Amino acid sequence: MAFFGSGVRRVGLALRSPLPPLCRTSSRSYSSEPTKEKSVPYEKTLKQEGGASSGPTKPLPKSADVVVIGGGSLGCQTIYHLAKMGVTNAVLLERDRLTAGTTWHTAGLLWQLRPSDVEVELLAHTRNVVSKDLEEETGLHTGWIQNGGLFIASNKQRLDEYKRLMSLGKVYGIESHVLSPAETKDLYPLMNVNDLYGTLYVPKDGTMDPAGTCTTLSRAANARGATVIENCPVTGIQVRTDDFGVKRVRAVETPHGTIETPCVVNCAGVWATKLGEMAGVKVPLIAMHHAYVVTERIEGIQNMPNVRDHDASVYLRLQGDALSVGGYERNPIFWDEVSDKFAFSLFDLDWDVFMQHIEGAINRVPVLEQTGIKSTVCGPESFTADHKPLMGEAPEVRGFFLGCGFNSAGMMLGGGCGRELAHWIIHGRPDKDMYGYDIRRFHHSLTDNKRWIRERSHESYAKNYSVVFPFDEPLASRNMRRDPFHQVLTEQGCVFQERHGWERPGWFNKDGPVPVKDYDYYGAYDIETNVNYKYNDLLGKEYTFDFPPHHDVIKSECLSCRNSLAVFNMSYFGKFYLTGPDAKKAADWLFTADVNKKPGSTVYTCMLNKRGGAEADLTVSRLEPGAANLPLAPESDGDAYYLAIGGGVAEHNWNHIRTVLQDQGFRCQLTDHSEDMGMISIQGPKSREVLQEVLDTDLSNKAFPFSTHKIVNAAGHQVRAMRLSFVGELGWELHIPRDSCIPVYRAVMAAGSKHGIINSGYRAIDSLSIEKGYRHWHADLRPDDTPLEAGLAFTCKLKSSTPFQGRERLEKQKEEGLKRRIVCFTIDEKVPMFGLEAIFRNGVPVGHLRRSEYGFYIDKTLGYGYIRNPDGGVVSADFIKSGEFSLERMGVTYEAKAHLKSPFDPENKRVRGIYD
């Protein structure tokens, strides 16, 4: 038997910093030999003695509507929800027995509160499935235990984060309590609270049993007509190419027969990459060792809540009268040679890696120092570049869906994600906003880049328990995509953000360059840590829920734009051309707005899914037909359109358009010129005066109206100039061929020097745009929001008879009235908000902020959120005007004013060049 205390002394003193007093002062002498027992702490697993049987447990059907591959948490939840939604001709194939891969050894924790509204909803559904729905359907108990959850805060910032979660939880009716150290001690008598700042207690958190849950899901799916087949490995995926050149799933091959199917769901966990390769699909995940240890019996631990001590990077899971102890370390072990022969298997625990968790566990529950370790559990888990799952239809092959890469949270997220995946398969889109999990959130150039996958997955793993601050940025795999202005802006102190692989300007440091360095793995694996790393130092100063130290720098960038002018590098934008015989038909169907105005027009529009939800917002410019002048103009003898799309969502937009073109059979070409052009936006009252010196065209309102574009010369170089604004000012965008970017930029800066022109970044854009009331896709405009709910009815051609995707839903919603709608709120107190703050009307929670910033021109914090009528009725203007609103930030309530229009320039004078 090994003991916690001895393990710390044996390994810890040699490798780590001095131990807490409890460990240093101990004079006990235990055996220094670690336990060799490897077993999960569950009474029941589905492992068969003697290994798996020789053949499948059921005959294979010749065909199926859907084949789910992998019998872990996600596979079982997906087949269950497919069957529940009416897809009875669905099959699940598991190469061994259910749970055999990674699910069988999971800790099975479920925490209801996360810093994401969508994840809170997903977790709530999982909890309902395992605690109520399955038992009602089958009469079987899944093994759910509701023992509560306790989050530990050792500092103010951590407790502030928990208070943010508590406020969000009120919107969803999730009970939670911030406890003092003394109250925490009363709840958990064995806990050391001397170093605590406070805790967050969630009484209805709990623990799931993997075997019990998956067995019950399987039985419930079978009862509804689905088929679950074990001991049936998949050996190949057949893919066909249709008459339009589109690759589609055709069949699944096994040693025991072939199943014809148009749809495959990859729920293969750490083996998902290999399964993807069978179909030519890239699955960007990586396998790592993930471990916990199980203690001997601890007197007095019974009925205690599960504990997450994020600052010690350790969790303590109640295991009857014992604890399971695990966490996330800075130096996880990669499993590079993934074996297919690893069913119900575990690795030997590397104590040198794991021992860092023991120290934190003993500090939190001192009795552990005298407690024996009964067994170790070290198994493989799959991890991704942003610690979010991979879901949705793969861009490479239609009908090939992903449900993998769950970062050891497959049990916890399984119910919610299984339901969304089933909805995705049946209806073409999920019910909720799943963009954060959608495989299309990653640019295609990154998803098979091994360096990017490894570095980013490592960083996400190592920072899994870090405080989620609003303005954090990754350090791993930076500088993957750089625009032509990168070097010159770096020299001018640009602090870059990473989006979609691109380096885009965040804000400008006045103390010189802050380049991003190569990733140092936080000093793990004997890699030398970066020193004198100014970029990392500046990020560290942002780690606050107060205003950051450079708040005034961003203020200066914003007010320079409002009072004079600023230049924004927006080169990371997606830049696509839509051409071909059916381009007009496609444009009419794709875009909510009428984009078929005369050539030279530019229109702001949305693209919708079939349910009327906003899949994108973008600008569409109609082009003159003519010969190619790439990259500024494509060859076209008919209708042609230039699409400019936010760079962070360009891959999502590209795939949405391509999917619609394929589904509708439009004969079109969609071409990507994002890398071929840079883009700068010159905005502010002085922008016309400055650009008139640079461009060879009349920029007057009459000659160059708002929402128009033309190819012009700028300092001797051809560019496409567009009169648009994303900040609510007079301004133009210049779309510039790559080789011309720097000369044009220098000419603009020279002409603007006498007017005080400055570089400005996206932190300023975030503030300026919300101040004006412009939407950010995936913040205050998402696939689960319609344009009518989002205040974007003006983008919809509902007065015309032209059909477009999602129109029927909008017409029905318009007729019935809006049950939810976006509202702008301002507060008088000078406190920052970041989104997720609860919205109350007359003391009743009615929603939460999606997005919030400080508006420097109006000198107020403002935010946008969608509100509902608690009675389920229409949210009318009178409902908003008659209510008394407040916002709750970290447990503190602030009176708020609701606005039906933007409080900044509600008459849109400034974008028209009217400055009173």
Side-chain angles (χ1 to χ4, degrees):
M1 177 186 295
F3 288 84
F4 270 74
S6 63
V8 171
R9 284 192 300 279
R10 179 175 55 83
V11 178
L13 288 176
L15 298 179
R16 295 179 59 79
S17 58
L19 300 169
L22 283 166
C23 301
R24 290 202 303 270
T25 58
S26 173
S27 59
R28 299 182 185 87
S29 177
Y30 297 121
S31 164
S32 63
E33 285 299 311
T35 180
K36 295 201 169 33
E37 176 66 25
K38 296 186 294 183
S39 64
V40 296
Y42 301 110
E43 291 182 10
K44 176 187 176 183
T45 70
L46 303 180
K47 182 178 181 180
Q48 287 182 313
E49 293 299 324
S53 61
S54 57
T57 54
K58 295 178 183 176
L60 269 66
K62 293 190 180 301
S63 64
D65 293 331
V66 183
V67 176
V68 179
I69 302 172
S73 171
L74 254 296
C76 291
Q77 289 279 10
T78 302
I79 195 79
Y80 164 73
H81 282 93
L82 282 168
K84 198 168 185 177
M85 292 181 189
V87 182
T88 56
N89 187 22
V91 176
L92 184 150
L93 300 179
E94 163 55 46
R95 64 189 173 95
D96 197 276
R97 299 296 302 275
L98 296 182
T99 75
T102 61
T103 298
W104 80 291
H105 59 71
T106 180
L109 296 161
L110 191 149
W111 318 93
Q112 294 178 88
L113 293 177
R114 305 272 277 203
S116 159
D117 58 338
V118 175
E119 288 192 358
V120 168
E121 294 172 10
L122 296 173
L123 292 166
H125 184 68
T126 299
R127 188 182 179 284
N128 286 338
V129 168
V130 300
S131 68
K132 182 172 68 72
D133 294 354
L134 285 173
E135 192 163 351
E136 291 176 356
E137 290 181 36
T138 66
L140 300 173
H141 183 52
T142 63
W144 165 255
I145 299 171
Q146 183 180 296
N147 60 311
L150 193 62
F151 284 3
I152 307 299
S154 302
N155 55 67
K156 180 181 181 298
Q157 290 176 335
R158 184 68 75 175
L159 193 61
D160 284 348
E161 180 184 40
Y162 296 161
K163 288 177 180 178
R164 276 171 55 77
L165 299 182
M166 178 185 68
S167 292
L168 179 62
K170 290 180 181 179
V171 179
Y172 289 98
I174 297 173
E175 180 187 359
S176 65
H177 309 274
V178 172
L179 305 182
S180 67
E183 291 169 324
T184 303
K185 186 72 173 179
D186 290 340
L187 176 67
Y188 202 121
L190 294 180
M191 183 172 290
N192 166 35
V193 300
N194 293 335
D195 59 347
L196 291 194
Y197 209 86
T199 58
L200 180 68
Y201 175 51
V202 186
K204 294 182 180 179
D205 284 353
T207 313
M208 296 170 287
D209 177 81
T213 300
C214 291
T215 299
T216 312
L217 287 166
S218 173
R219 292 190 183 183
N222 278 322
R224 293 178 180 271
T227 304
V228 177
I229 304 174
E230 298 173 276
N231 301 330
C232 186
V234 170
T235 55
I237 307 289
Q238 293 181 15
V239 175
R240 66 182 178 88
T241 303
D242 69 14
D243 295 339
F244 294 94
V246 179
K247 292 182 178 180
R248 299 182 183 273
V249 169
R250 180 165 66 184
V252 175
E253 299 173 349
T254 81
H256 311 288
T258 297
I259 304 174
E260 293 186 0
T261 183
C263 181
V264 162
V265 190
N266 182 351
C267 298
V270 298
W271 296 271
T273 300
K274 288 189 175 183
L275 187 65
E277 289 171 355
M278 295 179 186
V281 169
K282 297 181 288 188
V283 183
L285 57 77
I286 198 163
M288 299 185 198
H289 293 205
H290 192 54
Y292 60 90
V293 298
V294 185
T295 74
E296 297 285 0
R297 183 178 185 278
I298 302 172
E299 184 62 40
I301 205 69
Q302 296 86 345
N303 301 316
M304 289 297 101
N306 301 317
V307 174
R308 254 189 174 182
D309 190 341
H310 291 94
D311 294 313
S313 194
V314 67
Y315 67 80
L316 308 170
R317 176 208 194 272
L318 184 69
Q319 199 72 55
D321 59 1
L323 289 176
S324 294
V325 179
Y328 291 82
E329 54 279 345
R330 290 284 176 96
N331 56 336
I333 299 172
F334 292 96
W335 192 29
D336 291 322
E337 301 298 327
V338 176
S339 169
D340 292 336
K341 310 295 183 184
F342 207 81
F344 293 109
S345 299
L346 296 171
F347 303 114
D348 291 329
L349 181 65
D350 187 319
W351 286 96
D352 289 347
V353 172
F354 189 81
M355 198 56 64
Q356 55 197 285
H357 304 308
I358 301 295
E359 180 181 330
I362 291 176
N363 177 58
R364 190 55 54 223
V365 181
V367 70
L368 286 174
E369 190 184 21
Q370 307 166 45
T371 304
I373 297 174
K374 184 178 181 181
S375 66
T376 67
V377 182
C378 182
E381 290 282 4
S382 58
F383 294 91
T384 64
D386 57 2
H387 217 74
K388 303 292 184 186
L390 307 176
M391 294 180 64
E393 191 174 30
E396 299 91 345
V397 179
R398 299 297 304 274
F400 191 102
F401 284 80
L402 301 178
C404 51
F406 273 78
N407 304 279
S408 74
M411 284 292 292
M412 181 165 58
L413 290 169
C417 288
R419 180 177 66 174
E420 293 304 308
L421 197 47
H423 199 282
W424 217 324
I425 293 162
I426 296 167
H427 301 288
R429 291 300 299 147
D431 183 50
K432 300 187 186 303
D433 166 36
M434 298 298 289
Y435 175 73
Y437 291 8
D438 193 332
I439 182 62
R440 300 177 300 173
R441 70 190 185 272
F442 296 134
H443 191 258
H444 62 85
S445 67
L446 301 176
T447 50
D448 62 351
N449 185 308
K450 292 183 178 179
R451 174 197 155 200
W452 176 80
I453 296 169
R454 193 179 190 89
E455 288 188 0
R456 288 291 293 271
S457 298
H458 171 270
E459 183 177 32
S460 295
Y461 182 100
K463 291 183 67 174
N464 183 44
Y465 277 3
S466 298
V467 176
V468 180
F469 288 109
F471 303 117
D472 200 10
E473 293 291 330
L475 296 175
S477 283
R478 295 293 296 269
N479 297 315
M480 302 297 286
R481 304 174 74 193
R482 291 181 287 193
D483 64 59
F485 304 102
H486 182 269
Q487 183 58 39
V488 69
L489 295 186
T490 298
E491 293 167 0
Q492 297 179 70
C494 184
V495 181
F496 286 97
Q497 302 171 330
E498 188 276 342
R499 299 292 183 273
H500 217 46
W502 285 106
E503 297 293 318
R504 77 173 192 183
W507 56 282
F508 284 80
N509 176 47
K510 296 182 178 180
D511 296 326
V514 283
V516 180
K517 298 184 178 182
D518 288 343
Y519 186 50
D520 62 4
Y521 284 87
Y522 294 94
Y525 315 117
D526 297 323
I527 295 171
E528 188 173 342
T529 305
N530 286 320
V531 295
N532 300 319
Y533 195 180
K534 289 176 64 177
Y535 181 85
N536 193 25
D537 293 342
L538 286 176
L539 279 188
K541 293 177 181 178
E542 296 251 58
Y543 290 169
T544 176
F545 291 108
D546 294 322
F547 291 119
H550 45 266
H551 186 64
D552 287 341
V553 177
I554 296 166
K555 175 181 179 179
S556 174
E557 293 184 16
C558 290
L559 294 183
S560 291
C561 179
R562 290 276 185 250
N563 297 324
S564 181
L565 81 163
V567 59
F568 302 89
N569 174 21
M570 303 173 75
S571 298
Y572 90 123
F573 259 49
K575 310 171 193 75
F576 307 152
Y577 289 119
L578 179 65
T579 58
D582 291 340
K584 182 179 184 302
K585 289 182 183 178
D588 283 339
W589 182 253
L590 277 165
F591 306 123
T592 58
D594 178 11
V595 299
N596 283 302
K597 303 180 185 298
K598 64 181 182 181
S601 63
T602 297
V603 178
Y604 172 69
T605 183
C606 294
M607 291 191 290
L608 308 183
N609 52 45
K610 295 174 183 176
R611 298 173 56 250
E615 290 290 331
D617 69 331
L618 66 158
T619 60
V620 178
S621 299
R622 193 167 184 206
L623 306 178
E624 294 273 6
N629 179 22
L630 292 174
L632 288 176
E635 180 179 1
S636 173
D637 56 4
D639 298 293
Y641 307 87
Y642 175 46
L643 283 51
I645 297 164
V649 295
E651 185 78 12
H652 170 85
N653 280 239
W654 171 271
N655 284 285
H656 173 76
I657 296 169
R658 193 179 63 165
T659 297
V660 171
L661 297 181
Q662 292 169 1
D663 290 348
Q664 298 296 319
F666 291 131
R667 295 168 299 158
C668 294
Q669 291 78 49
L670 185 67
T671 54
D672 185 357
H673 289 271
S674 304
E675 307 274 355
D676 304 332
M677 285 186 282
M679 173 183 162
I680 55 175
S681 182
I682 299 90
Q683 300 287 325
K686 301 291 186 181
S687 59
R688 177 185 279 134
E689 190 174 342
V690 169
L691 286 175
Q692 195 63 79
E693 294 185 30
V694 180
L695 306 182
D696 69 343
T697 192
D698 183 356
L699 300 181
S700 66
N701 282 338
K702 184 176 180 180
F704 208 139
F706 185 71
S707 285
T708 62
H709 67 92
K710 59 180 72 173
I711 292 180
V712 300
N713 282 309
H717 298 263
Q718 277 198 325
V719 305
R720 185 177 297 280
M722 294 187 181
R723 186 171 166 193
L724 295 170
S725 180
F726 194 47
V727 297
E729 297 293 337
L730 174 69
W732 279 260
E733 294 175 359
L734 303 182
H735 298 239
I736 313 167
R738 191 175 189 92
D739 292 343
S740 300
C741 283
I742 295 301
V744 172
Y745 168 78
R746 294 196 189 284
V748 169
M749 297 304 285
S753 60
K754 57 181 169 290
H755 298 286
I757 192 172
I758 65 165
N759 291 299
S760 191
Y762 269 84
R763 291 284 286 279
I765 288 178
D766 290 341
S767 170
L768 294 164
S769 62
I770 198 172
E771 195 170 47
K772 177 57 185 147
Y774 292 155
R775 307 287 177 258
H776 274 194
W777 193 83
H778 201 238
D780 41 17
L781 180 66
R782 305 192 312 200
D784 52 345
D785 306 319
T786 72
L788 305 188
E789 295 166 340
L792 298 177
F794 70 91
T795 68
C796 301
K797 49 182 179 256
L798 291 174
K799 292 181 180 179
S800 77
S801 59
T802 307
F804 58 90
Q805 181 157 280
R807 176 171 182 143
E808 290 182 4
R809 168 73 190 281
L810 299 191
E811 288 176 333
K812 183 178 179 182
Q813 193 174 58
K814 186 176 181 181
E815 180 182 340
E816 295 176 348
L818 298 177
K819 302 296 179 68
R820 60 194 288 273
R821 65 186 291 179
I822 199 166
V823 178
C824 174
F825 297 95
T826 57
I827 62 171
D828 292 331
E829 289 85 355
K830 298 293 191 290
V831 294
M833 294 187 179
F834 307 103
L836 302 182
E837 290 80 9
I839 303 169
F840 292 84
R841 179 185 182 273
N842 299 343
V844 177
V846 291
H848 64 275
L849 294 185
R850 288 274 195 85
R851 178 179 166 219
S852 185
E853 298 281 347
Y854 197 83
F856 293 101
Y857 192 84
I858 66 171
D859 200 23
K860 290 180 185 291
T861 293
L862 71 166
Y864 280 80
Y866 289 79
I867 67 170
R868 295 180 180 273
N869 188 329
D871 298 332
V874 172
V875 180
S876 64
D878 286 341
F879 176 83
I880 297 168
K881 291 176 183 176
S882 63
E884 293 185 1
F885 288 92
S886 60
L887 304 177
E888 181 177 309
R889 172 190 183 268
M890 296 188 295
V892 179
T893 300
Y894 299 89
E895 289 185 10
K897 182 178 180 181
H899 302 265
L900 294 175
K901 285 188 174 183
S902 164
F904 170 80
D905 190 24
E907 296 177 354
N908 288 322
K909 290 183 177 180
R910 298 170 76 102
V911 295
R912 292 180 284 141
I914 303 171
Y915 289 89
D916 297 331

